[in-house]
């Protein structure tokens, strides 16, 4: 069952519904409607082109500006932007910015290096650099279009000279081992929800502690979502498959973090309780 005990389990979300199921008929109609809406709505078009878990789609959600062809397209886009999940995305952005600023303040010095290992557009980190002119950042992502968008935003904000852009997978041990300069704070938002394997996330946290050893880690975890089945059966991911996200209790991830040598300094939530944003500190740091 999901962490909150309601709705379909992760295993159920992974399975296709029987063709005779009324739920299968309903989601088929919703898929057709969303695909048709993508002809007019910029957000739906971006989601189906790049994935609803992609940097370009997240940038559209963060901007919160309804765009599309014709007034109907803009109305469809506004309806998309007001979905609970996208509202939570924008609240998480605010919570993440606060957590990153708290982490920089807790570092106790000005020349802090913050690495976002699955950056996407990373507005919260670029905003933090504007407020801390001696801080530097590493923005890493597997998607070149996400890095290009972040590069343009960094240029517009006047912080590009303090940002390194790296194309790599956050779970790649070799990439973690060569991160430079030395990283003080690691940020990972949205990464754990799209990774299905519990063991891989747990190993990744241990890899961070061993290979990068940041004094602090900021991450989020999706603990519940009333739209989780709609997302899994209507939306697509960056690879073109079904967008099945993994819900996890925050306590589970905190247990893995403890095994890696980290303890929570703060845990916050969006207003709907969909996400938790966590700032971890390294034992003895």
């Amino acid at each position: 069952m999901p962490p909150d005990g309601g709705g379909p389990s992760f295993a159920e979300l992974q399975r296709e519904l029987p063709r005779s199921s009324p739920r299968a008929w309903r989601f088929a109609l919703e898929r057709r409607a969303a695909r048709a809406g993508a002809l007019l709505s910029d957000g739906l078009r971006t989601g189906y082109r790049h994935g609803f878990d992609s940097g370009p789609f997240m940038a559209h959600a963060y901007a919160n500006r309804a765009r599309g062809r014709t007034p109907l397209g803009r109305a469809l886009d506004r309806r998309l932007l007001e979905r609970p999940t996208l509202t939570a995305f924008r609240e998480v952005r605010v919570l993440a910015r606060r957590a990153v600023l708290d982490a920089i303040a807790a570092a106790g010095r000005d020349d802090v290096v913050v690495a976002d290992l699955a950056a996407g557009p990373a507005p919260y980190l670029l905003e933090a650099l504007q407020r801390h002119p001696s801080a530097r950042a590493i923005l890493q992502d597997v998607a070149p279009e996400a890095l290009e968008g972040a590069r343009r935003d960094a240029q517009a904000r006047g912080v590009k000279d303090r940002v390194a852009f790296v194309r790599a997978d956050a779970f790649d041990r070799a990439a973690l081992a060569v991160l430079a300069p030395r990283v003080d704070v690691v940020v990972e938002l949205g990464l754990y929800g799209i990774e299905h394997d519990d063991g891989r996330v747990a190993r990744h946290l241990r890899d961070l502690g061993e290979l990068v050893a940041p004094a602090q880690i900021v991450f989020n975890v999706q603990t519940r979502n009333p739209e989780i089945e709609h997302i899994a059966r209507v939306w697509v991911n960056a690879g073109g498959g079904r967008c099945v996200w993994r819900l996890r209790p925050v306590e589970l991830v905190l247990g893995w973090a403890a095994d890696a040598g980290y303890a929570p300094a703060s845990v916050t939530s969006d207003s709907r309780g969909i996400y938790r944003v966590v700032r971890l500190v390294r034992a003895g740091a």
Side-chain angles (χ1 to χ4, degrees):
M1 296 297 290
D4 66 355
S9 68
F10 177 64
E12 289 169 334
L13 291 176
Q14 290 181 297
R15 291 194 293 266
E16 296 289 350
L17 293 170
R19 293 185 179 181
S20 59
S21 163
R23 281 168 56 224
W25 304 340
R26 174 166 63 87
F27 286 119
L29 288 173
E30 291 182 13
R31 280 195 302 275
R32 292 191 185 99
R35 289 280 188 180
L39 298 173
L40 299 175
S41 157
D42 280 13
L44 288 170
R45 183 165 56 255
T46 299
Y48 282 110
R49 179 177 297 167
H50 298 284
F52 287 84
D53 55 355
S54 69
F57 182 74
M58 292 300 297
H60 183 75
Y62 288 150
N64 196 24
R65 291 192 298 271
R67 298 195 302 266
R69 299 167 181 157
T70 76
L72 176 58
R74 290 186 288 277
L76 290 172
D77 211 51
R78 174 49 56 195
R79 182 179 179 185
L80 172 69
L81 290 167
E82 290 179 353
R83 295 195 75 101
T85 301
L86 271 66
T87 299
F89 285 168
R90 291 189 290 274
E91 291 188 33
V92 165
R93 169 181 172 167
V94 175
L95 297 174
R97 179 175 59 205
R98 180 73 265 160
V100 170
L101 290 172
D102 287 347
I104 292 173
R109 53 180 228 279
D110 296 330
D111 59 340
V112 177
V113 177
V114 184
D116 192 327
L117 301 184
Y124 35 81
L125 181 46
L126 298 178
E127 291 163 4
L129 291 186
Q130 288 179 292
R131 296 183 60 169
H132 291 272
S134 296
R136 290 173 291 166
I138 301 169
L139 297 189
Q140 175 178 296
D141 204 287
V142 294
E145 63 271 14
L147 291 174
E148 184 55 37
R151 186 178 284 108
R152 288 194 300 269
D153 193 12
Q155 178 71 42
R157 294 175 184 272
V159 299
K160 186 180 176 184
D161 61 333
R162 291 186 282 128
V163 182
F165 300 90
V166 179
R167 187 179 179 189
D169 186 335
F171 291 101
D172 183 350
R173 280 179 54 90
L176 293 178
V178 298
L179 275 177
R182 180 177 174 82
V183 174
D184 302 293
V185 181
V186 162
V187 181
E188 298 183 314
L189 298 179
L191 179 63
Y192 305 160
I194 62 176
E195 174 53 52
H196 294 174
D197 186 346
D198 282 351
R200 196 170 187 225
V201 176
R203 285 192 300 273
H204 172 66
L205 286 167
R206 293 197 299 271
D207 287 344
L208 285 180
E210 174 189 345
L211 300 173
V212 183
Q216 300 176 79
I217 300 172
V218 175
F219 72 89
N220 72 345
V221 58
Q222 191 173 181
T223 60
R224 60 175 298 277
N225 191 335
E227 298 188 296
I228 196 70
E229 188 167 21
H230 174 90
I231 292 166
R233 304 200 184 281
V234 177
W235 291 4
V236 299
N237 61 27
R242 292 202 296 117
C243 201
V244 182
W245 291 346
R246 186 74 187 256
L247 303 179
R248 292 184 175 94
V250 67
E251 295 81 7
L252 179 64
V253 185
L254 289 178
W256 298 334
D259 291 341
Y262 291 86
S266 65
V267 180
T268 56
S269 171
D270 64 273
S271 61
R272 298 175 187 266
I274 292 175
Y275 285 97
R276 300 293 184 274
V277 175
V278 180
R279 181 167 67 90
L280 300 171
V281 293
R282 188 174 178 88

